[in-house]
Amino acid sequence: MEKPQIISHVQKPVNYTLFDTKWIPCSAKFIVLGNHARGTGAFQVYEVQHGDIKLVHDIEKSKALKCGTFGASSLQQRYFATGDFDGKMQIWNLEAMELPVYSVKAHKEIINAIDGVGGYIGEGAPEIVTASRDGAVKVWDPRQKNDPVATMEAGEGEDKRDCWTVAFGHAYNQSDRCVCAGYDNGDIKLFDLRNMALKWETNIKNGVCGLEFDRKDISMNKLVATTLESKFHVYDMRTQHPTKGFACVTEKAHKSTVWGCRHLPQNRDVFMTLGGNGTLNLWKYTYPAKRVKEDENGAEMGVAGTVNLLQNVMMSTQPISSFDWSPDKEGLCVCTAFDQTLRVLITTKLNRV
């Protein structure tokens, strides 16, 4: 097997702290979000042109912007949802950026993470999920103003944990859907939105920095959780054992915080992890010969596969804060780091792994 190569194609320094980046679907453009030193939000749109990148829009917002998603938008509209440091969730029409098309004070504190589904990805109604330092996870229908359609938070007298990451999954038909949330104390909670119930929870003894299903629009298959102290966990989500939960393989990576994970859109068994030491690691998951076995009582339990490191590359002396694959061009990707530089990368030979 030929090894993929991760090549830094274009580097662009900026004058603000970079937090998130997302490709605009079906285009050569991507968005970067961040925080100016004066506390305002940076919202820039770049276009890849003739081997370089060109700044198309540069908008400053009143509050620093932490995260964004296109997941709840159609390909026709391509509306972008953002979460800011003030707890506001807003949706923007990229053709008219002066005012949001939707705005709600979603949380009392910073929105750490956001995800969307039911737009150009996943079946069912468009929904956005937000996770905050206030400990709450909230699901929003952009067609419904002001109030969330679901709220998952600690009850009276329970500890409110800082929720760092959130992800939609299992959106493979009109009615099924789940949300997975990761917290600063290592808790992972899987909520079934159809039945409004906690489906599964575990603790990985380390702050959960990133969560991502390998695909949102299929019956739950795999989930990657990345942590504060150099480990990530890949769960096989097909078979839930009554007491042991989901089978899992754990891998050490980056010798530092693993800030997040992004699955390759064209191959759900290939994913990139983002290192606090400025590295990117490319992995491939291999399924076991049999994904299900029976325990001594005859109950079905999952069998975890293995992960192999395909490539790793040092991108920066600072942590990689975000990463996104182009949904259209295999291997084209963009990442941001805390060195105030955004990088467009090309990963080669992905069709041969």
Side-chain angles (χ1 to χ4, degrees):
M1 183 183 76
E2 290 187 66
K3 267 195 163 190
Q5 300 299 317
I6 304 166
I7 301 157
S8 181
H9 184 55
V10 183
Q11 297 193 26
K12 174 83 174 172
V14 296
N15 61 352
Y16 59 89
T17 303
L18 291 153
F19 287 123
D20 202 7
T21 181
K22 290 288 186 295
W23 282 97
I24 301 176
C26 297
S27 84
K29 296 176 184 171
F30 59 88
I31 290 172
V32 286
L33 302 176
N35 177 24
H36 289 291
R38 51 190 170 272
T40 53
F43 190 128
Q44 292 187 323
V45 181
Y46 287 88
E47 184 170 17
V48 179
Q49 286 184 352
H50 313 298
D52 202 356
I53 54 173
K54 178 188 171 189
L55 181 61
V56 180
H57 293 297
D58 186 3
I59 302 122
E60 193 168 340
K61 294 298 174 189
S62 59
K63 296 291 178 186
L65 295 162
K66 178 67 170 65
C67 48
T69 179
F70 281 105
S73 175
S74 68
L75 284 176
Q76 290 72 35
Q77 285 186 322
R78 289 189 282 195
Y79 284 179
F80 190 59
T82 59
D84 73 14
F85 274 56
D86 203 31
K88 262 192 189 158
M89 191 274 282
Q90 297 177 306
I91 302 175
W92 306 91
N93 176 356
L94 299 181
E95 305 302 317
M97 286 290 299
E98 297 76 33
L99 291 169
V101 295
Y102 181 100
S103 182
V104 66
K105 174 72 170 160
H107 294 272
K108 300 184 195 81
E109 298 186 62
I110 181 175
I111 295 176
N112 288 321
I114 192 168
D115 198 14
V117 76
Y120 76 102
I121 297 175
E123 296 288 324
E127 286 181 333
I128 292 161
V129 63
T130 53
S132 169
R133 186 184 291 158
D134 67 13
V137 174
K138 297 184 182 182
V139 179
W140 308 87
D141 184 333
R143 303 165 303 178
Q144 183 178 310
K145 296 289 181 193
N146 300 326
D147 294 318
V149 294
T151 301
M152 288 75 81
E153 60 185 340
E156 282 294 317
E158 292 179 352
D159 266 359
K160 285 191 175 178
R161 305 303 316 195
D162 190 347
C163 189
W164 284 353
T165 179
V166 72
F168 272 120
H170 203 54
Y172 69 99
N173 61 28
Q174 291 295 316
S175 50
D176 280 290
R177 187 168 289 180
C178 70
V179 160
C180 196
Y183 299 82
D184 64 341
N185 65 339
D187 281 348
I188 296 175
K189 298 187 179 190
L190 181 67
F191 303 100
D192 178 345
L193 294 182
R194 182 178 186 172
N195 298 308
M196 292 309 296
L198 180 66
K199 182 175 171 61
W200 168 70
E201 62 180 325
T202 189
N203 185 285
I204 53 177
K205 300 182 174 63
N206 221 267
V208 186
C209 301
L211 288 168
E212 190 178 67
F213 288 95
D214 57 351
R215 285 288 177 275
K216 296 177 194 180
D217 56 352
I218 60 172
S219 182
M220 278 193 303
N221 187 55
K222 296 196 303 294
L223 172 74
V224 174
T226 70
T227 70
L228 206 54
E229 290 181 15
S230 74
K231 282 183 183 169
F232 67 86
H233 309 259
V234 186
Y235 292 91
D236 186 312
M237 304 299 287
R238 281 290 161 94
T239 308
Q240 185 176 3
H241 187 270
T243 56
K244 293 176 181 169
F246 297 102
C248 171
V249 59
T250 300
E251 188 73 33
K252 227 168 156 51
H254 299 285
K255 297 180 182 169
S256 67
T257 297
V258 190
W259 281 111
C261 154
R262 287 288 176 270
H263 288 84
L264 181 68
Q266 296 82 6
N267 182 350
R268 67 181 184 223
D269 299 328
V270 174
F271 58 94
M272 191 80 81
T273 54
L274 291 54
N277 60 353
T279 57
L280 289 171
N281 284 9
L282 185 68
W283 305 86
K284 183 174 185 192
Y285 182 89
T286 303
Y287 293 99
K290 287 177 75 175
R291 287 180 72 177
V292 184
K293 65 180 182 182
E294 288 188 353
D295 70 5
E296 60 277 7
N297 300 315
E300 286 195 337
M301 60 191 295
V303 181
T306 55
V307 286
N308 296 305
L309 182 64
L310 298 176
Q311 191 56 266
N312 66 307
V313 62
M314 176 71 76
M315 277 293 150
S316 170
T317 55
Q318 298 292 315
I320 306 291
S321 53
S322 69
F323 177 96
D324 202 28
W325 296 102
S326 164
D328 314 304
K329 303 267 188 252
E330 186 177 67
L332 184 62
C333 43
V334 60
C335 75
T336 65
F338 287 146
D339 61 0
Q340 297 194 336
T341 304
L342 63 96
R343 295 167 173 86
V344 174
L345 316 171
I346 296 167
T347 308
T348 64
K349 301 174 184 166
L350 286 169
N351 57 346
R352 299 179 198 168
V353 299

